[in-house]
Structure formats: C-alpha cells, structure tokens
Amino acid sequence: MTLTDGLRQRPLVEKDCAGVYWRSPLSHAFVARFSTVQLSISELAATSLELPWVFQRLQGKWSAVALLRPVKAKQCPWLSTDGELALDRIPFLLRMYPFCLMPDASSQVLAYWDDPESISSAGQPFFENGQLSGPLTKVAQAFGRYVSGVQTVHQMGAELHAAGVLRVGDDASSGAPELFNVDETALQELSGETLKALMATGTLGSAHAQLLSQHHLTKFHRRTPKVMPAVAPAEPQAERNFLDALADDFMSGEDLRPGVLAP
C-alpha cells in the first residue's frame, strides 16, 4: 500500500512483540493514510465494479493496485467523514489492517502497521506460549493465500507488458509514472494467436477488467461522503472481526508464518 504519513511497518516476530497487543480498528478512518492498495488475483473482478485499479511495476515485478484517491489529493471519495468506507467489497489488505506484508530484500514478511489506535499495551496478544495466537494463525494462513494470488498477478502483468498493451497512466488517472493502464486500441490490434494465448491464462480477462475499472475515476471529482446514519457504537471485538473477514477468503496457498519470507 502507498502510505502518505509517518506510520511504520514492523515485522511480526515474537522477540519484538513482548508487551505489545493489538485490536481491530473501530472504523475505516485509517484508509485516509493510503493512496493505493495492492490486489490479489481473486479481487480484480469485484474491485473493477467499485474502484479504479491499475498495473504497477516495482523492481521488475508487476502488481495490480486499487486507487483510493488521486495521488495529489487528500481525500478518498469512498470514505465518509465518520470513517465509514462505502464499498461492498473492501480490499483484502484493508480488511486485514493493521496487519500487512513488509518488504524484505527481494521478498516480503508478515508485519503490522504501528498505528496507536490498533497497537498498544492492551488488547489481543500476538503470541501465546511461543506460538501465534489463534486469530493470528488464521491471519497468517489468509496472507499465504493472498500471496499466492499476487504471484498470479505478477505473471499476468508481465504477459500484458510483453504483448505491448500497457501504457503509463496520465495525470488524470494515476498521476505517477510507475502506474500503467491497458491501452484498449493496442489490445484490439493484437493478433488472434496472441489473444488466444492471453485468454488461456486468464490474462485477457484481467485486461478487460482494468479497462472497465477506469469508469470509477470520475468519482475522484465528487465530494467525500457525508457522515453515515447513526448506528449502535461498535465494540472492539477484534477476534470476531478478523474471523468474519477471513470467512470468505479465496484460492489455495501455503501458510505465511511470522518471520518467514513469502515466496
């Protein structure tokens, strides 16, 4: 995720978590800190119906990232003033907050954001008896599946780039040179053989989904949603929130344990 303030990532390892506890955030206000969020392969279709997303190339690898707001803007048009995120399908990394993946050399490690709202001296323990706590075991498993889906996106982006259909986004869409859109004209001009190959791997579908998602860029020019109708105050029931978030997870993949680099 692309961060806009001083929040830091910390690796989730037992020796650094003594006396530190976590809880789920009480709202989605933290989303205001981020301008993009990385997507797994199984999120592309649903995201295309709600958010604009683009391909991103970093250190030779291609990823798909949802745009939460224009790069130079300070407001996310889907985030209300009381911290409610007006999306039917919230991206995985936002649902897992404060947990995340932290860059480590050429790979990544399971980590967390040091947000004082979620990380403090009270709440749920990270570890119990030298092992991940029950809820965090499920989090690690879910991140393993997420990483597997991200690897698929790496390959799809590489295939589209090799086919010559990715173009650097202009200021009206991405605002950053490392973000790429599918060029619809170039896609239409591909040979039948190339289109067949892209279709066989599912890559052609991702190209059409990215084009479809660009419709949502018009929402960048609307006002931030107002305060949502009042509801009963939320209680910080972190374990239940995480189990609910994990209930509809996807794909197969290896568990990602703390301190172990993702493939």
Side-chain angles (χ1 to χ4, degrees), residues 12 45 78 89 111 113 118 136 139 141 183 214 216 221:
L12 185 58
W78 293 274
R89 174 72 180 190
W113 293 103
S118 296
L136 290 200
V139 169
Q141 292 168 347
D183 185 317
Q214 297 306 289
H216 301 296
H221 304 294

Side-chain angles (χ1 to χ4, degrees), residues 168-230:
V168 175
D170 57 32
D171 291 338
S173 58
S174 66
E178 72 274 14
L179 303 181
F180 294 74
N181 293 312
V182 172
D183 185 317
E184 187 172 8
T185 300
L187 188 65
Q188 293 173 343
E189 293 176 349
L190 291 178
S191 67
E193 182 178 350
T194 300
L195 288 172
K196 184 177 180 180
L198 294 177
M199 184 181 298
T201 60
T203 301
L204 185 60
S206 72
H208 287 304
Q210 197 277 322
L211 286 169
L212 175 65
S213 79
Q214 297 306 289
H215 163 74
H216 301 296
L217 290 171
T218 59
K219 299 174 184 177
F220 282 167
H221 304 294
R222 73 185 186 188
R223 293 182 179 179
T224 302
K226 297 180 181 179
V227 175
M228 304 294 284

Side-chain angles (χ1 to χ4, degrees), residues 8-20:
R8 295 179 58 188
Q9 293 177 314
R10 298 188 182 278
L12 185 58
V13 290
E14 185 179 11
K15 65 182 180 64
D16 297 329
C17 294
V20 181

Side-chain angles (χ1 to χ4, degrees), residues 9-12 98-102 109-113 143:
Q9 293 177 314
R10 298 188 182 278
L12 185 58
F99 299 99
C100 59
L101 291 174
M102 180 178 178
V109 64
L110 190 59
Y112 61 91
W113 293 103
F143 268 98

Side-chain angles (χ1 to χ4, degrees), residues 13-263:
V13 290
E14 185 179 11
K15 65 182 180 64
D16 297 329
C17 294
V20 181
Y21 297 82
W22 67 275
R23 67 178 183 179
S24 296
L26 297 180
S27 75
H28 290 112
F30 67 87
V31 172
R33 294 189 172 101
F34 302 97
S35 60
T36 67
V37 57
Q38 188 175 15
L39 303 170
S40 178
I41 181 60
S42 65
E43 300 182 274
L44 297 188
T47 299
S48 299
L49 300 178
E50 298 196 86
L51 293 170
W53 64 270
V54 296
F55 286 98
Q56 182 179 46
R57 183 170 58 183
L58 288 175
Q59 299 179 341
K61 287 187 177 182
W62 291 90
S63 300
V65 295
L67 304 178
L68 300 175
R69 57 177 172 76
V71 173
K72 297 180 180 180
K74 295 182 179 180
Q75 294 183 328
C76 170
W78 293 274
L79 185 65
S80 70
T81 53
D82 65 345
E84 292 294 327
L85 195 57
L87 297 173
D88 288 332
R89 174 72 180 190
I90 297 174
F92 175 83
L93 288 181
L94 298 183
R95 288 189 290 133
M96 291 296 100
Y97 189 89
F99 299 99
C100 59
L101 291 174
M102 180 178 178
D104 187 285
S106 61
S107 191
Q108 301 179 92
V109 64
L110 190 59
Y112 61 91
W113 293 103
D114 62 353
D115 183 347
E117 180 185 343
S118 296
I119 308 298
S120 66
S121 58
Q124 298 286 331
F126 286 98
F127 291 84
E128 295 177 323
N129 300 320
Q131 302 292 327
L132 277 181
S133 64
L136 290 200
T137 297
K138 295 183 180 295
V139 169
Q141 292 168 347
F143 268 98
R145 293 188 288 273
Y146 170 82
V147 168
S148 176
V150 167
Q151 289 177 319
T152 303
V153 176
H154 290 336
Q155 182 61 34
M156 287 182 168
E159 290 178 7
L160 290 174
H161 176 63
V165 299
L166 294 183
R167 299 286 184 270
V168 175
D170 57 32
D171 291 338
S173 58
S174 66
E178 72 274 14
L179 303 181
F180 294 74
N181 293 312
V182 172
D183 185 317
E184 187 172 8
T185 300
L187 188 65
Q188 293 173 343
E189 293 176 349
L190 291 178
S191 67
E193 182 178 350
T194 300
L195 288 172
K196 184 177 180 180
L198 294 177
M199 184 181 298
T201 60
T203 301
L204 185 60
S206 72
H208 287 304
Q210 197 277 322
L211 286 169
L212 175 65
S213 79
Q214 297 306 289
H215 163 74
H216 301 296
L217 290 171
T218 59
K219 299 174 184 177
F220 282 167
H221 304 294
R222 73 185 186 188
R223 293 182 179 179
T224 302
K226 297 180 181 179
V227 175
M228 304 294 284
V231 296
E235 297 182 4
Q237 297 176 308
E239 182 171 344
R240 185 198 65 189
N241 292 345
F242 266 73
L243 294 179
D244 288 347
L246 295 171
D248 60 351
D249 269 315
F250 38 77
M251 303 186 63
S252 61
E254 298 298 325
D255 294 358
L256 183 63
R257 303 194 181 282
V260 177
L261 296 182

